[in-house]
Amino acid sequence: MTWQAGPGVSVFADALFEDKVAVVTGGGTGLGRETAHALARLGARVVVAARTAEALDRVAASITAAGGSCVAVPTNIREPDQVDTLRDTVYARFGRVDFLVNNAGGQFPSLPSAVTDNGWRSVVDLNLNGTWNMTSRFMGPMAEAGAGAIVNVVHTFSFERGAPMFVHSGAARAGVVSMVKTLAPYLMRRGVTINAFAPGVFSTPGMVASELTTVGRTEEGFAEELVAEGTTVRLGTVDEMAAMILFLCSPAARYVCGATIIADGASMQTNWVSFFPEGDM
């Protein structure tokens, strides 16, 4: 699939990130893929990391064919040794990291009573521990360099309303939000910003394949239900979400640190549609 910049990404100056180095986890699909393309379009040298080498290779080839710079490094962020290797590989090749986008994550919808011990640990290990593995390995060298931006992608399920369909993911991502707030004053003193970005429901193939189909829903039907119940006027776009990440990496956000930016079409202020019939738990 050929990538094209959407209206959100297109507002940024073409050479905004000239010669910067960006690491994007979960870079083979969805928001990670979009963010990697967008960073490369603005001049950054991009490293994409994920477990699936084939998807990473496709992204790297697409970015390179468009005249950008991209390196694929297969990495399971759950494994500290693999994250160490990723860090060492990036610094050996480029000598610096300016932007770290911790986008890798995942969950599955489930009734709370149906979440197994293994399911809980798997989701928490990926979304919380994996994000910590990445942040802890890269924040030191970035702080020593005295500049940089870390963006941790979470979810609107991270906050006070909870995560009725995703108890495991909500708990893990709330932990990431707390991590961001705790690290912010330490890193800001050293020239590094760290923020969380919480997108609402937006359309990606992964959402349809891994979440909606699990509970027998289609994207069109789910979107219609969201609108009908007053949750939102539409789904977000992946371009809009990538643009928010670009902003948090940009010079315009150098005084934004320890924040959580929410882009959800005001859905947190309205009703939340349920995946499951009333009475289930």
Side-chain angles (χ1 to χ4, degrees), residues 104-146:
Q107 60 268 317
F108 54 89
S110 176
L111 296 171
S113 59
V115 177
T116 65
D117 291 341
N118 285 339
W120 176 272
R121 293 191 183 97
S122 177
V123 170
V124 171
D125 200 22
L126 174 59
N127 293 302
L128 178 57
N129 297 338
T131 300
W132 170 248
N133 290 340
M134 289 294 300
T135 302
S136 65
R137 266 65 176 182
F138 282 86
M139 66 181 182
M142 293 174 75
E144 289 177 10

Coordinates of all heavy atoms in Angstrom, one line a residue, residues 104-146:
A104 N 4.0 0.7 20.6 CA 3.7 -0.7 20.6 C 2.7 -1.0 21.8 O 2.9 -0.6 22.9 CB 4.9 -1.6 20.7
G105 N 1.7 -1.8 21.5 CA 0.8 -2.2 22.5 C -0.3 -3.1 21.9 O -0.3 -3.3 20.7
G106 N -1.2 -3.5 22.8 CA -2.2 -4.4 22.3 C -3.1 -4.9 23.4 O -2.7 -4.8 24.6
Q107 N -4.3 -5.3 23.1 CA -5.3 -5.8 24.0 C -6.3 -6.5 23.3 O -6.4 -6.6 22.1 CB -5.9 -4.6 24.8 CG -6.6 -3.6 24.0 CD -5.8 -2.5 23.6 OE1 -5.0 -1.9 24.3 NE2 -5.9 -2.0 22.3
F108 N -7.2 -7.1 24.0 CA -8.4 -7.8 23.4 C -9.6 -7.5 24.3 O -9.5 -7.5 25.5 CB -8.1 -9.3 23.4 CG -7.7 -10.0 24.7 CD1 -8.7 -10.5 25.5 CD2 -6.4 -10.1 25.0 CE1 -8.4 -11.0 26.7 CE2 -6.0 -10.7 26.3 CZ -7.0 -11.1 27.1
P109 N -10.7 -7.3 23.7 CA -11.9 -7.1 24.5 C -12.4 -8.3 25.2 O -12.3 -9.4 24.7 CB -13.0 -6.6 23.5 CG -12.5 -7.3 22.2 CD -11.0 -7.3 22.3
S110 N -12.8 -8.2 26.5 CA -13.2 -9.3 27.2 C -14.0 -8.9 28.4 O -13.8 -7.8 29.0 CB -12.0 -10.1 27.8 OG -12.4 -11.2 28.6
L111 N -15.0 -9.7 28.8 CA -15.7 -9.5 30.1 C -14.6 -9.7 31.2 O -13.8 -10.5 31.1 CB -16.8 -10.5 30.2 CG -18.0 -10.4 29.3 CD1 -18.9 -11.7 29.4 CD2 -18.7 -9.2 29.5
P112 N -14.7 -8.8 32.2 CA -13.7 -9.0 33.3 C -13.6 -10.4 33.8 O -12.5 -10.9 34.1 CB -14.2 -8.0 34.3 CG -14.9 -6.9 33.6 CD -15.6 -7.7 32.4
S113 N -14.7 -11.0 34.0 CA -14.7 -12.4 34.6 C -14.1 -13.4 33.6 O -13.7 -14.5 34.1 CB -16.1 -12.8 34.9 OG -16.9 -12.8 33.7
A114 N -13.9 -13.0 32.4 CA -13.3 -14.0 31.4 C -11.8 -13.8 31.2 O -11.2 -14.5 30.4 CB -14.0 -13.9 30.1
V115 N -11.2 -12.7 31.8 CA -9.8 -12.5 31.6 C -9.0 -13.5 32.5 O -9.2 -13.6 33.7 CB -9.4 -11.0 32.1 CG1 -7.9 -10.8 32.0 CG2 -10.2 -10.0 31.2
T116 N -8.2 -14.3 31.8 CA -7.4 -15.3 32.5 C -6.1 -14.7 33.1 O -5.7 -13.5 32.7 CB -7.0 -16.4 31.5 OG1 -6.1 -15.8 30.5 CG2 -8.2 -17.0 30.8
D117 N -5.5 -15.4 33.9 CA -4.2 -14.9 34.5 C -3.2 -14.7 33.4 O -2.5 -13.6 33.4 CB -3.6 -15.9 35.5 CG -4.5 -16.0 36.8 OD1 -5.2 -15.1 37.0 OD2 -4.3 -17.0 37.5
N118 N -3.1 -15.6 32.4 CA -2.1 -15.4 31.3 C -2.5 -14.2 30.5 O -1.6 -13.5 30.0 CB -2.1 -16.7 30.5 CG -1.3 -17.8 31.2 OD1 -0.5 -17.5 32.1 ND2 -1.5 -19.0 30.7
G119 N -3.8 -14.0 30.2 CA -4.3 -12.9 29.4 C -3.9 -11.6 30.1 O -3.5 -10.6 29.5
W120 N -4.2 -11.5 31.4 CA -3.8 -10.3 32.2 C -2.3 -10.0 32.1 O -1.9 -8.9 31.8 CB -4.3 -10.5 33.6 CG -3.9 -9.3 34.5 CD1 -2.7 -9.1 35.2 CD2 -4.7 -8.2 34.8 NE1 -2.7 -8.0 35.9 CE2 -3.9 -7.3 35.7 CE3 -6.0 -7.8 34.4 CZ2 -4.4 -6.1 36.1 CZ3 -6.5 -6.6 34.9 CH2 -5.7 -5.7 35.8
R121 N -1.5 -11.0 32.4 CA -0.1 -10.8 32.4 C 0.5 -10.4 31.1 O 1.4 -9.6 30.9 CB 0.6 -12.0 33.0 CG 0.3 -12.3 34.4 CD 1.3 -13.4 34.9 NE 0.9 -13.8 36.3 CZ 0.2 -14.8 36.7 NH1 -0.3 -15.6 35.8 NH2 -0.1 -15.0 38.0
S122 N -0.1 -11.0 30.0 CA 0.4 -10.7 28.7 C 0.1 -9.3 28.3 O 1.0 -8.6 27.8 CB -0.3 -11.6 27.7 OG 0.1 -11.3 26.4
V123 N -1.1 -8.8 28.6 CA -1.4 -7.4 28.2 C -0.6 -6.4 29.1 O -0.1 -5.4 28.6 CB -2.9 -7.2 28.3 CG1 -3.3 -5.7 28.2 CG2 -3.6 -8.0 27.2
V124 N -0.5 -6.6 30.4 CA 0.2 -5.7 31.2 C 1.7 -5.8 30.9 O 2.3 -4.7 30.9 CB 0.0 -6.1 32.7 CG1 0.9 -5.3 33.6 CG2 -1.5 -5.9 33.1
D125 N 2.2 -6.9 30.6 CA 3.6 -7.0 30.2 C 4.0 -6.2 29.0 O 5.0 -5.6 28.9 CB 4.0 -8.5 30.1 CG 5.5 -8.7 30.2 OD1 6.2 -7.9 30.8 OD2 6.0 -9.7 29.7
L126 N 3.1 -6.3 28.0 CA 3.3 -5.5 26.8 C 3.1 -4.0 27.0 O 4.0 -3.2 26.7 CB 2.3 -6.0 25.7 CG 2.3 -5.3 24.4 CD1 3.7 -5.3 23.7 CD2 1.3 -5.9 23.4
N127 N 2.0 -3.6 27.5 CA 1.6 -2.2 27.5 C 2.4 -1.4 28.6 O 2.7 -0.3 28.4 CB 0.1 -2.1 27.7 CG -0.6 -2.5 26.5 OD1 -0.5 -2.1 25.4 ND2 -1.5 -3.5 26.7
L128 N 2.6 -2.0 29.8 CA 3.2 -1.3 30.9 C 4.7 -1.7 30.9 O 5.6 -0.8 30.8 CB 2.6 -1.6 32.2 CG 3.2 -1.0 33.4 CD1 3.2 0.5 33.3 CD2 2.4 -1.4 34.7
N129 N 5.0 -2.9 31.1 CA 6.4 -3.3 31.2 C 7.2 -3.0 30.0 O 8.4 -2.6 30.0 CB 6.6 -4.8 31.6 CG 6.0 -5.1 33.0 OD1 5.8 -4.2 33.8 ND2 5.6 -6.3 33.2
G130 N 6.6 -3.3 28.8 CA 7.3 -3.0 27.5 C 7.6 -1.6 27.4 O 8.7 -1.2 26.9
T131 N 6.6 -0.7 27.7 CA 6.9 0.7 27.6 C 8.0 1.2 28.6 O 8.8 2.0 28.2 CB 5.6 1.5 27.9 OG1 4.6 1.1 27.0 CG2 5.8 3.0 27.8
W132 N 8.0 0.6 29.8 CA 9.1 0.9 30.7 C 10.4 0.4 30.2 O 11.4 1.1 30.3 CB 8.8 0.3 32.1 CG 10.0 0.4 33.0 CD1 10.8 -0.7 33.4 CD2 10.6 1.6 33.5 NE1 11.8 -0.2 34.2 CE2 11.7 1.2 34.3 CE3 10.2 2.9 33.4 CZ2 12.5 2.1 35.0 CZ3 11.0 3.8 34.1 CH2 12.1 3.4 34.9
N133 N 10.4 -0.8 29.6 CA 11.7 -1.3 29.1 C 12.3 -0.3 28.1 O 13.5 0.0 28.1 CB 11.5 -2.7 28.4 CG 11.2 -3.8 29.4 OD1 11.5 -3.7 30.6 ND2 10.6 -4.8 28.9
M134 N 11.5 0.2 27.2 CA 11.9 1.1 26.2 C 12.3 2.5 26.8 O 13.4 3.0 26.5 CB 10.8 1.4 25.1 CG 10.6 0.2 24.2 SD 12.0 -0.2 23.1 CE 12.1 1.4 22.2
T135 N 11.5 3.0 27.6 CA 11.7 4.3 28.2 C 13.0 4.3 29.1 O 13.9 5.2 29.0 CB 10.5 4.7 29.1 OG1 9.4 4.8 28.3 CG2 10.8 6.1 29.7
S136 N 13.1 3.2 29.9 CA 14.3 3.2 30.8 C 15.6 3.0 30.1 O 16.7 3.5 30.5 CB 14.1 2.0 31.8 OG 14.1 0.8 31.1
R137 N 15.6 2.4 28.9 CA 16.9 2.2 28.2 C 17.2 3.4 27.4 O 18.4 3.6 27.1 CB 16.7 1.0 27.2 CG 17.2 -0.3 27.7 CD 16.4 -0.8 28.9 NE 16.8 -2.1 29.3 CZ 16.2 -2.8 30.3 NH1 15.2 -2.3 30.9 NH2 16.7 -4.0 30.7
F138 N 16.3 4.2 26.9 CA 16.6 5.3 26.0 C 16.7 6.7 26.8 O 17.3 7.6 26.3 CB 15.6 5.4 24.9 CG 15.8 4.4 23.8 CD1 15.3 3.1 23.9 CD2 16.6 4.7 22.7 CE1 15.5 2.2 22.9 CE2 16.8 3.8 21.7 CZ 16.3 2.5 21.8
M139 N 16.0 6.8 27.9 CA 15.9 8.1 28.5 C 17.3 8.6 29.0 O 17.6 9.8 29.0 CB 14.9 8.1 29.7 CG 15.2 7.3 30.9 SD 13.9 7.4 32.1 CE 14.6 6.3 33.4
G140 N 18.2 7.6 29.5 CA 19.5 8.0 30.0 C 20.3 8.7 28.9 O 20.8 9.8 29.1
P141 N 20.5 8.0 27.8 CA 21.3 8.6 26.7 C 20.7 9.9 26.1 O 21.5 10.8 25.8 CB 21.4 7.5 25.6 CG 21.1 6.2 26.4 CD 20.2 6.6 27.5
M142 N 19.4 9.9 26.1 CA 18.8 11.2 25.6 C 19.0 12.3 26.6 O 19.3 13.4 26.2 CB 17.3 10.9 25.4 CG 16.9 10.0 24.3 SD 15.2 9.6 24.1 CE 14.5 11.1 23.4
A143 N 18.9 12.0 27.9 CA 19.2 13.0 28.9 C 20.7 13.5 28.9 O 21.0 14.7 29.0 CB 18.8 12.5 30.3
E144 N 21.6 12.5 28.6 CA 23.0 12.9 28.5 C 23.2 13.8 27.3 O 24.1 14.7 27.4 CB 23.8 11.6 28.4 CG 23.9 10.8 29.7 CD 24.7 9.5 29.4 OE1 25.3 9.4 28.4 OE2 24.7 8.7 30.4
A145 N 22.5 13.6 26.3 CA 22.6 14.5 25.1 C 21.9 15.9 25.3 O 22.2 16.8 24.6 CB 22.0 13.8 23.9
G146 N 21.0 15.9 26.3 CA 20.4 17.2 26.7 C 19.3 17.6 25.8 O 18.9 18.8 25.8

